[in-house]
Amino acid sequence: MEPLLFWALETLLFNDFQPSSSNSPFQNMLTDVTNQLLPGSSQQALPGPSNIAGIDQAIQQAALSTGLSPALLKAVATVESSLNPAAVSSAGAIGVMQLMPQTAESLGVNPYNAEQNILGGAEYLKSLLDNFHGNLTLALAAYNAGPGAVDHFGGIPPYQQTQDYVQKVLSTYQALASSPEST
């Protein structure tokens, strides 16, 4: 069974009906499968009651390291992966911040390690913001479609997926930034 299916089952069946601070049988099984499929991944590979706080802490650390807003980083991570460290896209993007393997390698981070993935995504977003002179909309479009596409089109590329992505991140960022319990 696919690892993400285990996570979905665990989330729907176990967490909703039996909250607990310990790992569920599904999460234990999923951790074993994830560790077999993704060598170098952390022991707590998937979000659950025990490591959402760890994701938030990694976002805080990456924000401090890069000078970016924690709410912005959490918005990107939420839209990219729903804060799921085991997320892998059909295009091959990996982890919480959905780093492409080449991007992770260029940043010197292990994309399967949630903390490194988040820091790498934050550093990449910071570099895009610098590249696009602080223009958040263009930096987000470049995070999604690549800086070459943004340069080629002189703005947000005319890809519906990228246009939707930018709007989702911006609205999530606004909601998180205005929340009293924002990251």
Side-chain angles (χ1 to χ4, degrees), residues 70-133:
L72 174 59
L73 295 179
K74 190 167 187 175
V76 171
T78 299
V79 173
E80 286 287 349
S81 70
S82 299
L83 305 175
N84 181 355
V88 178
S89 76
S90 60
I94 301 163
V96 176
M97 298 295 279
Q98 289 291 277
L99 296 177
M100 293 300 288
Q102 310 90 303
T103 303
E105 185 177 346
S106 73
L107 294 165
V109 299
N110 175 355
Y112 296 103
N113 175 290
E115 292 81 12
Q116 289 184 34
N117 185 290
I118 292 165
L119 180 58
E123 289 174 350
Y124 183 53
L125 182 57
K126 174 74 170 152
S127 73
L128 293 171
L129 280 164
D130 291 344
N131 187 48
F132 291 103
H133 311 288

Side-chain angles (χ1 to χ4, degrees), residues 1-11 15 21-35 37-38 41-55 81-88 94-96 98 112-115:
M1 196 173 276
E2 293 293 320
L4 293 178
L5 184 55
F6 280 119
W7 176 76
L9 287 170
E10 193 269 337
T11 299
N15 285 348
S21 61
S22 63
N23 288 344
S24 72
F26 284 120
Q27 191 166 7
N28 290 336
M29 184 178 355
L30 183 54
T31 298
D32 292 343
V33 169
T34 302
N35 289 335
L37 295 176
L38 307 174
S41 64
S42 65
Q43 284 295 330
Q44 294 283 325
L46 297 177
S50 61
N51 74 356
I52 288 295
I55 298 293
S81 70
S82 299
L83 305 175
N84 181 355
V88 178
I94 301 163
V96 176
Q98 289 291 277
Y112 296 103
N113 175 290
E115 292 81 12

